[in-house]
């Protein structure tokens, strides 16, 4: 934490609710000082909550100790910095191309395999193994955009053989490798524009799931995204999926079982998963979502991940609002965003 960050005022209206719900996303952003007991804790401490009038918030353990408090022996608030250092070391090991099993990460960080798994997932949003897979896939996608041959891209990304790459991509990239590189070449995308109470809605899907859901778009917009795909309007099988999608939009917060065919960077996919975990009817600020991902200073990156979401409502980026409680932006206009939130709250 920098000097400026440590001196920044703590928003107590945000901090106290985080303590009451024992929100791990706020660990490391402040500590909770219980003046009646002389102890300071992590926001997520499992101990019984103190009375609000006995609580003060401090930027870190050093400030709390300067006020005469001692660290809680149950939640060990001073271990947060150690956890952050361990996660950084684990990420460096994974990015460095090491095999990085949990045992090896434990040896590198000085943690047990189960503890580094738990700490890493809490900070990054993915397990070390899932992070390594996502990193390799991201490198493959980047390589595919510039390599003259697919096989060159596969080896450059760190796969031992093309067969390993195809096995890893099965069910994840949705489209074949060449289609990813060439705008949907060889892929059939079924689509329709339907009227909803929120206005005309475009829905498109591959055989693996919904790949586009947007408002106010037509076939030309879809073709611009997938210029080489075979676009087929309607179809009996697609009609059944379409009915489920329309129902999920008319009653936002439902439809969690609708299959999706979306891809992004490791951070984007973690952000989209975090969006789907926000309970219907609730909202988070960009900063709160960034904190939940273990990256409290990444509010702008969260905004970018929201903007890269290709399936509105099904990945509910409408649940992210401005820090001041205002609606903030939305790709399809704040009226639609406001209505989606209203419907979720009214359920």
């Amino acid at each position: 934490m920098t000097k400026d960050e440590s001196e920044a005022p703590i928003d107590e209206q945000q901090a106290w609710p985080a303590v009451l719900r024992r929100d791990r996303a706020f660990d490391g952003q402040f500590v909770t000082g219980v003046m009646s007991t002389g102890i300071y804790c992590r926001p997520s401490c499992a101990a019984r909550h103190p009375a609000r009038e006995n609580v003060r918030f401090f930027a870190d353990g050093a400030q709390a100790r300067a006020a005469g408090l001692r660290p809680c022996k149950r939640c060990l608030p001073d271990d947060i910095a150690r956890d952050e250092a361990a996660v950084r070391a684990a990420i460096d090991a994974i990015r460095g191309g090491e095999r990085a099993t949990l045992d090896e990460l434990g040896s590198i960080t000085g943690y047990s395999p189960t503890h580094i798994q738990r700490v890493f997932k809490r900070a990054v949003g993915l397990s070390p193994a899932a992070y390594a897979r996502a990193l390799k896939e991201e490198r493959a996608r980047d390589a595919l955009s510039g390599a003259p041959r697919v096989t060159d891209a596969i080896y450059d990304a760190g796969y031992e053989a093309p067969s390993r790459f195809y096995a890893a991509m099965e069910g994840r990239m949705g489209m074949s490798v060449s289609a990813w590189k060439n705008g949907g070449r060889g892929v059939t995308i079924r689509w329709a524009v339907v009227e909803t109470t929120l206005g005309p809605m475009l829905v498109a899907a591959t055989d693996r799931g919904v790949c586009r859901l947007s408002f106010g778009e037509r076939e030309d917009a879809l073709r611009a995204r997938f210029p080489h795909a075979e676009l087929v309007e309607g179809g009996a099988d697609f009609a059944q999926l379409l009915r489920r999608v329309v129902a999920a939009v008319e009653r936002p917060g439902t439809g969690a079982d609708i299959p999706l065919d979306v891809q992004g960077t490791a951070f984007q996919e973690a952000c989209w998963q975090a969006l789907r975990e926000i309970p219907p009817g609730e909202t988070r600020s960009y900063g709160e979502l960034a904190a939940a991902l273990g990256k409290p200073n990444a509010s702008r990156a969260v905004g970018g991940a929201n903007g890269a979401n290709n399936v509105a409502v099904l990945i509910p980026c409408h649940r992210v609002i401005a820090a001041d409680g205002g609606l903030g932006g939305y790709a399809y206009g704040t009226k639609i965003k406001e209505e989606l939130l209203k419907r979720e709250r009214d359920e």
Side-chain angles (χ1 to χ4, degrees):
M1 182 176 290
T2 66
K3 182 177 184 293
D4 289 342
E5 288 173 330
S6 65
E7 293 178 351
I10 296 170
D11 184 348
E12 297 194 5
Q13 291 185 337
Q14 185 182 72
W16 180 239
V19 171
L20 292 178
R21 64 177 183 266
R22 295 186 171 90
D23 194 335
R24 289 182 180 274
F26 285 82
D27 288 355
Q29 295 191 53
F30 62 85
V31 295
T32 306
V34 185
M35 310 311 293
S36 56
T37 62
I39 292 173
Y40 65 92
C41 304
R42 302 184 188 217
S44 66
C45 184
R48 194 173 83 173
H49 289 130
R52 176 65 182 89
E53 61 267 22
N54 294 330
V55 171
R56 282 182 58 194
F57 297 105
F58 299 91
D60 53 28
Q63 282 192 3
R65 290 192 298 275
L69 305 181
R70 63 186 186 278
C72 173
K73 293 182 179 180
R74 182 169 185 173
C75 68
L76 304 174
D78 292 339
D79 278 3
I80 294 173
R82 184 186 173 206
D83 289 350
E84 291 175 346
V87 171
R88 284 196 297 270
I91 288 175
D92 288 344
I94 294 169
R95 285 189 170 273
E98 300 178 28
R99 287 183 59 238
T101 65
L102 286 178
D103 285 339
E104 289 164 339
L105 292 179
S107 297
I108 291 169
T109 61
Y111 284 174
S112 70
T114 54
H115 191 58
I116 187 58
Q117 165 106 332
R118 183 164 52 250
V119 168
F120 191 99
K121 187 170 184 178
R122 185 169 65 231
V124 179
L126 299 169
S127 68
Y131 178 84
R133 288 194 300 270
L135 177 64
K136 190 177 286 189
E137 291 164 13
E138 185 176 337
R139 287 172 174 167
R141 292 167 185 161
D142 290 343
L144 283 168
S145 66
R149 296 194 313 146
V150 168
T151 51
D152 292 338
I154 290 171
Y155 287 116
D156 288 346
Y159 289 92
E160 298 174 2
S163 59
R164 296 287 182 90
F165 174 74
Y166 287 108
M169 292 300 104
E170 181 66 27
R172 291 206 35 90
M173 293 186 72
M175 301 178 182
S176 67
V177 177
S178 60
W180 181 265
K181 183 179 179 181
N182 295 315
R185 193 181 305 279
V187 173
T188 298
I189 297 178
R190 301 189 182 277
W191 67 279
V193 173
V194 294
E195 288 297 327
T196 72
T197 56
L198 297 174
M201 179 177 73
L202 170 72
V203 180
T206 67
D207 60 355
R208 301 187 183 220
V210 177
C211 61
R212 181 67 177 165
L213 191 160
S214 60
F215 296 96
E217 289 188 338
R218 299 284 176 178
E219 181 184 5
D220 57 343
L222 184 65
R223 191 168 294 283
R225 290 180 178 275
F226 304 105
H228 302 301
E230 179 186 4
L231 300 185
V232 178
E233 188 172 4
D237 292 340
F238 178 73
Q240 183 178 7
L241 175 63
L242 181 63
R243 284 193 294 271
R244 294 170 61 194
V245 173
V246 171
V249 170
E250 298 292 359
R251 292 185 59 213
T254 63
D257 59 339
I258 293 174
L260 304 180
D261 186 357
V262 293
Q263 301 85 36
T265 65
F267 180 81
Q268 286 172 338
E269 292 188 4
C271 184
W272 297 338
Q273 181 58 38
L275 286 170
R276 301 190 86 186
E277 291 173 359
I278 300 173
E282 295 187 15
T283 58
R284 301 287 187 271
S285 69
Y286 291 97
E288 286 175 324
L289 192 60
L293 293 167
K295 299 180 181 296
N297 297 319
S299 297
R300 185 170 296 180
V302 167
N306 275 14
N309 174 20
N310 281 319
V311 287
V313 186
L314 300 182
I315 294 178
C317 55
H318 59 273
R319 294 177 189 161
V320 181
I321 60 174
D324 62 3
L327 284 177
Y330 192 58
Y332 308 109
T334 54
K335 287 186 177 180
I336 289 180
K337 182 174 186 176
E338 185 175 24
E339 179 61 22
L340 288 168
L341 291 173
K342 179 179 181 298
R343 293 182 185 186
E344 288 189 352
R345 293 184 183 119
D346 290 346
E347 278 294 322

